[in-house]
Amino acid sequence: MRIYIKHILSGLLFAAGLLLLLSAASYAMIPKDNKEEAGMEDESANGILAEGKNTIDVLVVGDSLAFCTIDPLLIWEQYGFTSYLCSTPSQKLFYTEEFVEKAFRNQSPKMVFLETDALFREYTNGAAVQNRAERVLPVLRYHDRWKKMKPDELFRQPEYTYRSSSKGFAYKPDVDGIKTKKKEVKPAGPDDAVPGRNRKELKKIARVCKENGAELILLSVPSRKDWNMDRHNIIDSLARELGVVYFDMNMKEEEVGIDWKTETKDQGEHLNYDGARKATAYFGKYLAEKNILTDHRGDEAYKTWDKDKKRFEKEIEKEKKKLEKEKKKLEKEKKKQTTKD
Amino acid sequence: MPLSSLFMAGRFSQMTSYFSLAYLAGFLPLTIIGYSIVPKKMKKYFLLLCSYAFFWFISGKLVVYLALSTLSVHYFGIWLARIQLQRDEELKHTEKENKKALKKCYLAKQRRVLLFAAVCSFGVLLYLKYTRFFTMNVNAVLAHLHLPLEFTIPSFLVPVGISFFTMQAVSYLFDVYRGTIEADDNLFRLGLFMSFFPQIVEGPICRYGETAGQLWEAKGISYANLTMGIQRILYGFMKKLVVADRLNPLIQTVFQNYTDYEGGVIAMAAVCYTVQLYMDFSGTMDAVIGTAQIFGITMPENFQRPFFSRSISEFWKRWHITLGAWFRDYIFYPVISARPMKKMTTAARKKIGNHFGPLLAGAVALFCVWLCNGLWHGAGWHYIFFGMYHFALILWGNIAEPGVKWVTGKLHIPTGHFLYRLFQIVRTGILVVIGELFFRAERLKAGFVMLRSMITDFHFTTLDKALLSKMGIDAYDLLIVGITLLIVLAISILNEKGIKIRETLAKQPVVLRWAVLYGLILFIVIFGAYGLGYIPVDPIYANF
């Protein structure tokens, strides 16, 4: 019996030592900045880490539907509210929860919008366990940084310097509209169900929001390919169950006024920049009607937002010129080809 | 065809890899804890239950193949035993002069049962694995002959490990037939031998006499076995995660787009694939043998430092040992000892001497072995070529042996000298790499194109940072692979010299032992190729 206890104790001691070592390795390996070149993944969404303390009023989480739709700088321009998009491509709900938790470390948003498309996304138990393990021991996520690390980075405290000029929004000017005249939405299918583990994650997100004094709102942005009435009804009943608000912009199609022939970049799944501006305008109005947010325009503490806006506008101009150039080049080549033929 | 589309139908198919999170952090620890808790008498049944649960997790309803195979083998084994019992009973009451005839009669009876049982076992395997290949070739012939006939190409779900458990089943029946072992009247014991979870996916191909008794004994888990087992699993984990998975993008890119690369790069990819295959398979074997050790079971080794081999024949005695031994015992010996072969050998000895005489029958038996070996690895002409390539090399080695001895003797070449041995090792390595090139190639034609490119276009002019990046790796990846290979090489050299590292380490003070283990774990955690941007290689031998 004594030997048995001795073996158990030595096993526990070994595990404790290992945990300590892995924690030390985690400290050494975590990115010391929130830039991509420093090893940070999803740079744009993680830009929130460099935002001033408690300067974000509205947090938006979810997948690409969110970052293609909500333009925080337009909201800033029109209403003076500060918002940030911690949304990433094909975001899984455990990652959504990670972002919500991460955002609350430095911010105290009054509202958290969760784009509902992520609620329908399946993932394996293994992926969720892996995410959990990576959050406890970041070395499991950032282990590959040894390739680019400088020796002085090993023991340095992280210092986040990257601020996304678009606040997580993605500028998508391409036009690929819906050709048919008939209104068509996503056909009903087996993927119109919220998996059990997503319901649990959602409850966790709701709890975190409540604990931090933020209102969780479920948001469905305009999309023809990722939305249908079945999905609306599921989210609606889920919102009732959780006691949170469900704001479905697809149910306000006329008010939002999206022209699906010209304001989508991929035949109805995501909005393009023109569509995003319309949807954001409606979203901003919704925020204003809530009457709980402050207009920060003119406030010294928020001066950087005006600078960021100018920076983003310049970036858009640059991108537009680049696209124009490419377009002209293509046309030229086309002309050349036709004269040759 | 990717593994997932052909094999497996279970909900937890990721557990097919013994390095998956689901297996290492879920199934295995739970099984160890459960096994430790259940009473001694129930341990073997618990292990059987866990083995079937594991197979069900990875194969779903296909578990029925394993169950039916076990049931049929159990029945045939008892049938064979009954015939033997009847024979022994009758022999007691038979006159001496009639005994030979009686024995012959019963032997024929046993042979018929054995043949029927083998046809049943292999029939399922052949039907599931080779019908598609056969139909495709028939269609190709029909098209070539411009005949307006085409058969539908079937597609089956094949249970993981079917080749492995079928071979174990047939070896059991053969051994019962030969009288090496007694038929097992306990279905559960036989079931555990057939299904033991660590070896069901990739082997080793165990013999009933080696493992069934140990499994049924179901010893408790000892501290020494637990730590040694975990240590071995970690070593395998390092091979798989740091080397095999890290090389995967390079190998996939070059083998899929071989026409885009010059000979030097193709040669590099072929060497990398050989390394990957060894690291993946031997690493998995480390995990399998380590897991079995935790439960107090000693499994046969499948690798014995194959890259130290001085000839192809020696290589195959050190690589996938249990498969080679199976072919030797159940194909080579039965073929070579068949009456027509014996007659042929006797006649040939008289005509071409004692060295070359037996080679003729040996060549026939060797041909059968390597045809089966090629086909066992998969239904494809490149696999058959792979088998025939090794058949030709081994046969040539046998034929040329006296000539080589004569030449080295005449030229006074010291065959025991290190440099000569190194030359033999390098030569064998090159031949192995060429064989593996065909083994990995998508088709036979692709293999030939790649080989031609290696010979006629051998240079590395385009090999730079940009090309490495195109192949999905960088110089750091190659550096870490190199360091890991050096570690494995150092351990292999020590093992080859008879120094048992694990036993030596076990005698060291606890601080040193823990430091080594901590170092190994940190090495795997930091330098392993996992997470974002990495796609782990499917367990390669689970395909076979």
Side-chain angles (χ1 to χ4, degrees):
Chain A
M1 190 66 188
R2 272 179 68 187
I3 281 207
Y4 193 62
I5 292 169
K6 193 184 146 196
H7 287 158
I8 290 178
L9 283 177
S10 69
L12 288 174
L13 201 66
F14 182 85
L18 183 63
L19 206 66
L20 211 69
L21 266 173
L22 290 174
S23 302
S26 294
Y27 183 79
M29 301 303 264
I30 49 165
K32 300 300 188 290
D33 200 346
N34 60 340
K35 290 175 183 167
E36 203 181 316
E37 66 250 36
M40 182 65 83
E41 75 290 349
D42 297 314
E43 185 186 58
S44 185
N46 275 305
I48 195 167
L49 296 171
E51 290 293 331
K53 196 166 171 65
N54 297 331
T55 55
I56 303 296
D57 297 329
V58 176
L59 177 72
V60 183
V61 283
D63 59 18
S64 54
L65 288 188
F67 68 63
C68 285
T69 305
I70 310 294
D71 177 1
L73 290 166
L74 189 65
I75 299 172
W76 168 256
E77 184 190 332
Q78 292 177 343
Y79 299 97
F81 307 144
T82 54
S83 52
Y84 203 98
L85 306 177
C86 287
S87 59
T88 54
S90 305
Q91 193 171 86
K92 294 182 177 78
L93 220 60
F94 56 74
Y95 202 37
T96 310
E97 197 266 330
E98 184 182 338
F99 267 115
V100 171
E101 192 259 332
K102 205 189 272 186
F104 277 121
R105 279 186 221 156
N106 206 35
Q107 303 293 339
S108 48
K110 291 187 177 70
M111 281 185 260
V112 174
F113 285 87
L114 195 160
E115 211 299 319
T116 55
D117 192 42
L119 285 169
F120 297 94
R121 187 159 293 115
E122 261 288 10
Y123 50 85
T124 60
N125 265 331
V129 171
Q130 193 176 328
N131 174 269
R132 189 53 56 186
E134 283 173 358
R135 286 164 72 176
V136 176
L137 295 168
V139 66
L140 298 174
R141 182 180 293 174
Y142 301 113
H143 63 98
D144 234 14
R145 277 206 342 109
W146 61 269
K147 288 181 179 181
K148 290 176 185 167
M149 256 168 77
K150 290 173 197 138
D152 67 307
E153 277 184 58
L154 280 170
F155 309 105
R156 194 154 49 83
Q157 281 270 17
E159 200 180 312
Y160 302 122
T161 60
Y162 169 75
R163 296 178 70 252
S164 162
S165 58
S166 66
K167 311 294 174 192
F169 172 69
Y171 169 68
K172 305 278 180 192
D174 322 353
V175 180
D176 186 6
I178 295 176
K179 310 282 187 291
T180 51
K181 280 183 184 170
K182 214 175 121 191
K183 182 187 169 179
E184 277 174 6
V185 290
K186 178 193 172 297
D191 56 341
D192 294 333
V194 177
R197 53 174 78 98
N198 277 355
R199 285 174 187 264
K200 275 187 196 164
E201 284 293 343
L202 179 62
K203 279 180 187 163
K204 213 189 283 174
I205 292 169
R207 201 183 57 230
V208 173
C209 290
K210 203 175 174 186
E211 279 167 9
N212 286 280
E215 184 189 358
L216 174 69
I217 297 168
L218 302 182
L219 164 75
S220 292
V221 300
S223 174
R224 283 279 174 89
K225 281 193 176 170
D226 292 326
W227 181 91
N228 58 27
M229 224 28 228
D230 285 2
R231 285 194 169 200
H232 171 88
N233 292 336
I234 289 168
I235 300 296
D236 193 45
S237 75
L238 199 57
R240 278 172 212 276
E241 199 184 299
L242 281 171
V244 299
V245 174
Y246 177 34
F247 175 36
D248 188 351
M249 290 167 82
N250 294 285
M251 300 296 280
K252 309 273 179 192
E253 226 183 28
E254 277 187 22
E255 289 95 318
V256 180
I258 300 293
D259 179 354
W260 290 103
K261 279 180 193 153
T262 57
E263 289 170 356
T264 167
K265 75 178 189 77
D266 46 15
Q267 298 182 22
E269 184 164 18
H270 301 90
L271 297 178
N272 61 17
Y273 187 54
D274 292 338
R277 285 183 71 85
K278 275 191 188 169
T280 302
Y282 189 77
F283 182 73
K285 203 172 130 207
Y286 176 81
L287 292 180
E289 281 167 3
K290 281 263 173 184
N291 244 341
I292 51 171
L293 301 175
T294 319
D295 182 351
H296 299 293
R297 283 174 295 186
D299 187 336
E300 271 299 306
Y302 293 83
K303 238 179 168 180
T304 53
W305 277 74
D306 293 321
K307 279 183 192 165
D308 287 335
K309 192 176 174 303
K310 275 178 192 159
R311 191 152 63 102
F312 185 50
E313 279 166 357
K314 268 185 191 168
E315 279 170 21
I316 289 180
E317 276 313 306
K318 217 172 149 186
E319 187 70 21
K320 271 183 184 169
K321 275 180 190 167
K322 201 176 129 192
L323 286 171
E324 201 63 41
K325 227 178 175 181
E326 272 170 21
K327 207 175 159 187
K328 275 181 185 168
K329 202 178 156 189
L330 268 175
E331 273 170 10
K332 242 184 188 178
E333 272 170 18
K334 226 178 178 182
K335 260 185 189 175
K336 253 188 192 175
Q337 196 64 35
T338 12
T339 38
K340 256 188 192 176
D341 292 340
Chain B
M1 191 174 287
L3 180 72
S4 50
S5 65
L6 187 62
F7 291 84
M8 302 178 295
R11 284 186 62 197
F12 300 92
S13 53
Q14 70 267 31
M15 280 207 314
T16 309
S17 168
Y18 292 118
F19 300 112
S20 64
L21 194 67
Y23 177 79
L24 279 179
F27 184 83
L28 184 59
L30 286 176
T31 307
I32 292 173
I33 293 167
Y35 186 80
S36 311
I37 293 168
V38 295
K40 171 93 177 78
K41 273 186 182 175
M42 299 306 290
K43 284 192 195 301
K44 46 191 176 252
Y45 298 107
F46 180 76
L47 216 50
L48 177 65
L49 185 75
C50 288
S51 295
Y52 264 79
F54 176 78
F55 201 77
W56 180 75
F57 283 145
I58 59 172
S59 292
K61 59 190 175 194
L62 301 183
V63 72
V64 80
Y65 282 104
L66 176 65
L68 285 177
S69 177
T70 308
L71 273 173
S72 70
V73 165
H74 181 247
Y75 175 76
F76 285 125
I78 287 174
W79 193 355
L80 283 168
R82 277 197 170 179
I83 296 170
Q84 287 167 351
L85 203 71
Q86 267 179 8
R87 179 197 62 195
D88 294 345
E89 276 299 310
E90 276 196 45
L91 277 174
K92 280 181 197 168
H93 314 289
T94 311
E95 298 291 324
K96 205 176 175 184
E97 58 271 23
N98 295 333
K99 279 188 175 174
K100 207 175 172 186
L102 189 75
K103 275 184 186 171
K104 207 175 163 186
C105 168
Y106 272 101
L107 192 67
K109 224 176 188 180
Q110 278 197 81
R111 264 192 198 149
R112 282 197 295 274
V113 174
L114 180 69
L115 186 73
F116 181 57
V119 165
C120 287
S121 292
F122 279 127
V124 176
L125 177 69
L126 292 172
Y127 181 71
L128 291 177
K129 268 182 86 174
Y130 303 101
T131 313
R132 189 181 161 83
F133 175 64
F134 181 73
T135 317
M136 280 162 78
N137 281 292
V138 168
N139 281 347
V141 172
L142 291 173
H144 190 72
L145 296 172
H146 303 291
L147 290 170
L149 192 62
E150 194 182 343
F151 295 101
T152 317
I153 296 168
S155 186
F156 305 106
L157 275 172
V158 187
V160 172
I162 186 167
S163 303
F164 291 98
F165 69 71
T166 302
M167 289 180 104
Q168 287 205 169
V170 173
S171 82
Y172 164 76
L173 290 170
F174 252 99
D175 290 351
V176 171
Y177 162 79
R178 286 172 177 168
T180 326
I181 54 166
E182 278 183 26
D184 198 337
D185 54 358
N186 188 333
L187 179 64
F188 296 118
R189 179 163 49 206
L190 189 65
L192 184 55
F193 160 71
M194 292 273 288
S195 65
F196 185 44
F197 71 89
Q199 46 121 124
I200 192 92
V201 178
E202 294 191 56
I205 303 161
C206 298
R207 303 292 170 88
Y208 179 86
E210 283 172 340
T211 54
Q214 293 184 64
L215 283 163
W216 203 242
E217 202 185 329
K219 293 178 198 159
I221 292 174
S222 74
Y223 181 73
N225 277 340
L226 180 71
T227 50
M228 291 288 266
I230 291 173
Q231 194 189 79
R232 181 102 191 236
I233 294 172
L234 282 173
Y235 185 54
F237 209 5
M238 180 187 79
K239 287 179 179 177
K240 163 88 166 93
L241 216 61
V242 182
V243 181
D245 285 354
R246 196 167 283 280
L247 289 174
N248 204 30
L250 180 148
I251 294 158
Q252 273 198 337
T253 312
V254 178
F255 274 85
Q256 271 170 15
N257 313 292
Y258 55 92
T259 47
D260 298 350
Y261 298 99
E262 59 199 9
V265 177
I266 289 175
M268 186 174 96
V271 172
C272 286
Y273 176 65
T274 309
V275 169
Q276 183 194 42
L277 190 63
Y278 177 58
M279 288 292 161
D280 177 82
F281 195 18
S282 74
T284 303
M285 283 307 110
D286 288 325
V288 168
I289 294 168
T291 308
Q293 188 170 8
I294 292 174
F295 295 97
I297 292 138
T298 310
M299 288 232 147
E301 292 290 340
N302 233 357
F303 290 92
Q304 218 171 30
R305 303 163 294 283
F307 292 100
F308 290 160
S309 305
R310 292 159 67 182
S311 67
I312 288 291
S313 163
E314 188 191 347
F315 178 84
W316 282 99
K317 283 176 192 144
R318 288 166 170 260
W319 174 285
H320 207 170
I321 298 167
T322 55
L323 179 73
W326 195 97
F327 283 129
R328 182 195 62 210
D329 292 349
Y330 305 111
I331 292 186
F332 187 84
Y333 287 154
V335 172
I336 206 163
S337 56
R339 205 170 294 156
M341 290 295 150
K342 279 183 176 168
K343 275 184 187 171
M344 189 163 76
T345 305
T346 318
R349 266 185 207 277
K350 283 177 190 164
K351 287 190 177 168
I352 47 176
N354 273 343
H355 177 75
F356 294 105
L359 280 184
L360 211 59
V364 176
L366 206 60
F367 176 82
C368 295
V369 163
W370 284 101
L371 181 68
C372 292
N373 191 311
L375 278 171
W376 182 86
H377 283 99
W381 285 106
H382 59 302
Y383 290 121
I384 295 173
F385 178 83
F386 171 79
M388 291 301 103
Y389 170 79
H390 286 98
F391 160 68
L393 287 177
I394 293 171
L395 187 63
W396 172 247
N398 291 340
I399 293 169
E401 200 186 335
V404 173
K405 265 187 189 164
W406 184 81
V407 171
T408 49
K410 282 278 170 201
L411 296 175
H412 302 293
I413 295 170
T415 49
H417 193 274
F418 169 72
L419 284 178
Y420 186 73
R421 279 188 289 148
L422 187 66
F423 155 74
Q424 287 180 308
I425 288 170
V426 172
R427 180 199 58 189
T428 308
I430 292 170
L431 293 173
V432 168
V433 167
I434 294 171
E436 298 302 353
L437 172 86
F438 281 95
F439 189 78
R440 173 63 174 80
E442 301 283 322
R443 287 189 313 275
L444 185 58
K445 196 181 161 191
F448 278 114
V449 172
M450 289 168 89
L451 182 63
R452 192 181 60 198
S453 174
M454 275 165 62
I455 297 165
T456 60
D457 186 29
F458 190 87
H459 48 84
F460 291 95
T461 44
T462 55
L463 188 64
D464 55 11
K465 209 174 160 184
L467 184 70
L468 282 179
S469 160
K470 195 180 156 194
M471 294 192 292
I473 59 161
D474 55 33
Y476 293 107
D477 289 314
L478 293 180
L479 177 75
I480 208 66
V481 164
I483 291 171
T484 316
L485 289 180
L486 281 177
I487 295 171
V488 174
L489 178 71
I491 292 171
S492 301
I493 290 172
L494 291 173
N495 278 331
E496 190 73 4
K497 287 189 171 176
I499 301 165
K500 291 181 176 170
I501 306 215
R502 297 172 70 214
E503 282 76 4
T504 314
L505 185 66
K507 286 174 196 154
Q508 302 306 312
V510 69
V511 179
L512 186 69
R513 274 186 288 145
W514 283 22
V516 171
L517 275 181
Y518 282 145
L520 183 58
I521 294 170
L522 274 183
F523 189 80
I524 297 166
V525 166
I526 294 173
F527 299 116
Y530 62 92
L532 203 69
Y534 289 107
I535 301 164
V537 56
D538 270 339
I540 299 173
Y541 264 75
N543 260 321
F544 309 136

